[in-house]
Every structure is written in C-alpha cells, then in structure tokens.
Amino acid sequence: MADAATESSWCEISVPKIAGNLLSTLKRMPDNTQLCAVVKSDAYGHGIENVVPLLMEQNIGCIGISSNAEARAVRSAGFAGRLLRLRTATPQEVKSAIGDRIEEMFGAPAAVRSLIETLGQEALPKLHISLNAGGMSRDGLELSTARGRAGFFEMLELVPDQIVGLCTHFPSNEPVELAESIQRFHDDQAWIFTNCDLRRQDVLVHAGSTLTLHSGQDPKADMMRCGAILYGIAGPRPDFQSALALKSRVVSIGEYPKGSTIGYDRSCCLSEDKVLASIALGYANGYSRRFSDGGEVLIRGQRLPVMGKISMNTIVADVTSLPAIDVGDEVVAFGQQGSQVISSVAIEDLTGTIMADLYADWGQRNARVVIQP
Ligand SMILES: *Cc1c(COP(=O)(O)O)cnc(C)c1O
C-alpha cells in the first residue's frame, strides 16, 4: 500500500466508509433477497483486496466480477463463496479460470456450443442463463421471438446439468420502464418454468442493481447485484458516503504578472497579478481535460479555481486568495477538506460522465492510500 507522505497523486480509500455503505445496503435489501456484491473494475477503483474482507465479515455469499484477474484477486483475498461473472466470457477466458470456480453467464446457444468444444462436457463450469427481459440487448437471450425460445431449449439440451441461475439486467430504472422490465422478467420465468424441466427451486433468479434498489421496486428475485452503492455512488447521505477521494500535492508556487498566459494554447490569460500553484495531477491520473474550464480544488480548506488546460501530469490553481501555502500542501480534487467538498454532482456536471466511470479510471491510474478502521 502506498504512503500518502511520499505520493504526489493518490486515491484515498476509506474502508470504514465502504463498511458503512455495505451495512446500509444490506438494511435496504428487499425481504428474501441476497446481495451479490459487485467488485468489477477492481472494486470500482477501490481495490478488491480492500473490499473482500468486509464482504466476508458480513457473510456475503456471492461476489460479481468481470475479468479473470478480478476473480483471482477475490480468491486471493480468501473468498471461497460463489463467484459470478457479470458478462459472457470467451471459451479461452473461461478455460483459463477454471481453477477459480467462476459461474459464467450465457445468453446465446452458439456461445455455449463453442464453450463445449473448447472445454469438453466434463469440464464445464456452472452456468447462468442471461435473459434479455429488460432489453439491454447485450448478451441476454431474447425470449419474445420463436428463435430465442428455440435457443433456450437448445441451451437446456446442451448443458442440462450446469444451469444454476436465471438472470436479467435492467437498462433503465425510470419507474414505468423498470416496472415493465420486471413484469417482462416474470413473464419470461413463467414461460420457462411452464415449458421445460427446469424447476424454480433449482435455480438462483437474479436481477437488479444499485438504481433498482433505490427505486423501491422489488424485482422479487433471489438476489440483486449491486456495486455502485457500496462505494457511495448514489444513495442518500449520511447512510451512504463516497469512499474515495482524489488527492495530490502542491509542487511549486510562483508569482506571475498580469498578462501572463497559463498552460497549453494560452487558453487563460491573467487580468491581474496572481500567485499560482502547480499541482502534481493531470490527465494521466484521470483528471481529464474536461476539467480545463471550471475545475476546482481544495487547498488549506479553501475552494480554488483550476486555471488553463489540464496537462498530462500538472494542473495550475489560482492560490492568490490563500494567506499561506507551502510546497507539499495536500490538494483535494475530489472529496472533502475541512468544511469544503468537491462533490460528485459538480464533477459529473463538469465531465459529462458518471462517478463509476471516473472511479474506475482514477483507481487504476493512481496509487491507493487506504484508511483502515
Ligand atoms: C455492473 C453490474 C451490476 C452492478 O451495477 P451497479 O449499478 O454498479 O450496482 C449488476 N449487474 C451487472 C450485469 C453488471 O454488469
């Protein structure tokens, strides 16, 4: 783990906040619904090794991942329970992760056929059939067409003993659309349990994510798969809190006269004399060029404007209003300092994307400094 004292840009990860978010999530789960805790993209940038022990403490039975590397990280952290891949994998990918006992998700008979060709019938992992009930049209099987229904029977015939789950993913949690998707998923299940040998009690039915949980609508599944909420993305304060802060340090301070231009393309020109601080953060750390107009940082508890274009490894802030500043001062680009906060709303407005996108990016591009309880 990195040490904040020697880093010049880092993600500060709060384990207690993730633990709090997890407890608040468990309290909100509908009756008789388990949580599949999603840790894809290295736990949305927070580090799988920081999250898995919390999940084990709460006896979470299922963890959702995407890549084989993530599956290995979850196993290395000591989790022996159910590991679910949240997308279809290639046969080669499945084959190289057999030892990690991943349950795989499939929605196309052709993909199941090539899986059998590569692995042989004996080595097949447990499988979940993914349905396109909500209309993601990503990798789910579409049961509204005769072809899709024939495909379902074909999959059952190919892997009669491997199917342990039925699932779907909702593309929209807008109330009317979500209600429609839930109904569609129930209709699909009714058709399945009426028309084939698969029995309801033999499969785990799962659907829904963070926004479904927030919607208050209950998909009446055995399990919901939630990621974002664990990391404080969406969810009312104070029950849910951001567990990641993006931080950096002042590396240089200079006085520049009126008329000086700042950064590439001279996009910013000083209308008066200023004190400017150079900060060791840039687009290589995921502090995107979209912060070029309107970005703000916190230094010594004060909110300060970012000036000029974002460089690869450096940004410049106007620190003229600060009574004192030193090289090495901590800079908050996202998160809290004193009574000030750079909020998710501000960041999402400025960047035009969602926090999950940014967390996944920041978490990979910066050292992580972990706050333990
Ligand atoms: C990422 C993912 C989830 C979790 O979504 P959140 O919005 O982060 O809760 C659930 N299911 C699938 C299939 C996913 O890919």
Side-chain angles (χ1 to χ4, degrees):
M1 188 190 79
D3 174 4
T6 54
E7 294 296 336
S8 46
S9 91
W10 68 98
C11 287
E12 186 181 275
I13 308 295
S14 166
V15 170
K17 283 185 178 158
I18 301 170
N21 295 337
L22 174 60
L23 289 181
S24 299
T25 303
L26 290 172
K27 274 194 209 134
R28 275 163 202 244
M29 293 299 289
D31 291 343
N32 304 315
T33 306
Q34 317 166 31
L35 172 67
C36 168
V38 176
V39 302
K40 63 193 183 192
S41 194
D42 204 4
Y44 295 48
H46 295 65
I48 281 176
E49 72 282 9
N50 299 319
V51 178
V52 170
L54 303 175
L55 302 176
M56 289 168 62
E57 254 170 56
Q58 296 303 323
N59 292 314
I60 301 299
C62 183
I63 293 182
I65 49 95
S66 179
S67 72
N68 287 351
E70 288 158 9
R72 270 195 302 279
V74 171
R75 291 299 185 212
S76 305
F79 181 75
R82 205 161 193 168
L83 198 47
L84 178 63
R85 195 190 311 266
L86 299 173
R87 59 165 170 81
T88 298
T90 65
Q92 289 310 324
E93 202 178 10
V94 173
K95 189 175 179 185
S96 77
I98 284 293
D100 289 315
R101 291 174 292 114
I102 305 175
E103 299 184 10
E104 304 283 351
M105 211 182 254
F106 278 84
V112 174
R113 263 184 263 117
S114 43
L115 188 65
I116 296 170
E117 266 167 41
T118 305
L119 285 163
Q121 198 83 34
E122 297 71 40
L124 291 175
K126 291 180 178 170
L127 299 176
H128 295 239
I129 296 185
S130 168
L131 301 173
N132 195 38
M136 278 293 273
S137 310
R138 196 160 71 175
D139 52 15
L141 186 64
E142 177 58 53
L143 285 188
S144 69
T145 64
R147 236 179 115 74
R149 292 191 292 274
F152 187 85
F153 290 126
E154 190 186 343
M155 282 172 77
L156 277 191
E157 237 173 81
L158 286 166
V159 286
D161 303 324
Q162 279 76 24
I163 296 166
V164 296
L166 275 184
C167 57
T168 196
H169 197 34
F170 302 131
S172 161
N173 292 278
E174 183 280 319
V176 173
E177 291 185 346
L178 176 60
E180 276 171 18
S181 298
I182 291 174
Q183 185 58 49
R184 180 69 196 283
F185 186 42
H186 288 167
D187 293 347
D188 281 359
Q189 286 175 61
W191 178 83
I192 287 168
F193 297 125
T194 311
N195 289 288
C196 73
D197 292 342
L198 207 59
R199 295 184 310 169
R200 175 66 183 85
Q201 61 267 35
D202 295 338
V203 286
L204 183 78
V205 170
H206 50 107
S209 59
T210 292
L211 292 178
T212 314
L213 186 57
H214 280 315
S215 76
Q217 292 188 42
D218 182 357
K220 298 228 164 17
D222 301 323
M223 186 170 82
M224 279 171 102
R225 308 172 306 257
C226 300
I229 195 169
L230 304 175
Y231 312 103
I233 303 171
R237 308 288 178 263
D239 290 357
F240 297 94
Q241 294 190 31
S242 298
L244 182 153
L246 180 62
K247 297 192 171 184
S248 182
R249 289 195 190 281
V250 172
V251 291
S252 165
I253 300 154
E255 292 175 22
Y256 296 89
K258 173 179 175 177
S260 305
T261 63
I262 305 176
Y264 290 117
D265 306 333
R266 302 187 148 158
S267 67
C268 179
C269 180
L270 296 183
S271 58
E272 52 189 295
D273 296 356
K274 292 278 190 196
V275 183
L276 302 178
S278 173
I279 297 160
L281 185 71
Y283 58 78
N285 308 102
Y287 197 76
S288 141
R289 279 170 62 95
R290 283 167 294 187
F291 286 104
S292 293
D293 291 298
E296 288 184 319
V297 293
L298 306 177
I299 306 174
R300 298 203 173 204
Q302 274 200 45
R303 185 180 291 272
L304 302 159
V306 172
M307 310 286 277
K309 294 259 167 89
I310 307 301
S311 302
M312 185 183 277
N313 306 103
T314 308
I315 56 175
V316 171
D318 176 0
V319 297
T320 315
S321 65
L322 279 186
I325 179 169
D326 270 325
V327 164
D329 276 1
E330 186 175 290
V331 178
V332 171
F334 171 70
Q336 190 163 0
Q337 194 185 55
S339 61
Q340 293 289 328
V341 60
I342 307 284
S343 71
S344 304
V345 175
I347 297 270
E348 288 183 341
D349 277 356
L350 207 57
T351 57
T353 187
I354 57 172
M355 290 318 294
D357 177 358
L358 296 170
Y359 283 168
D361 194 33
W362 293 347
Q364 281 186 59
R365 291 166 178 257
N366 296 281
R368 285 192 198 113
V369 172
V370 182
I371 312 280
Q372 296 288 354

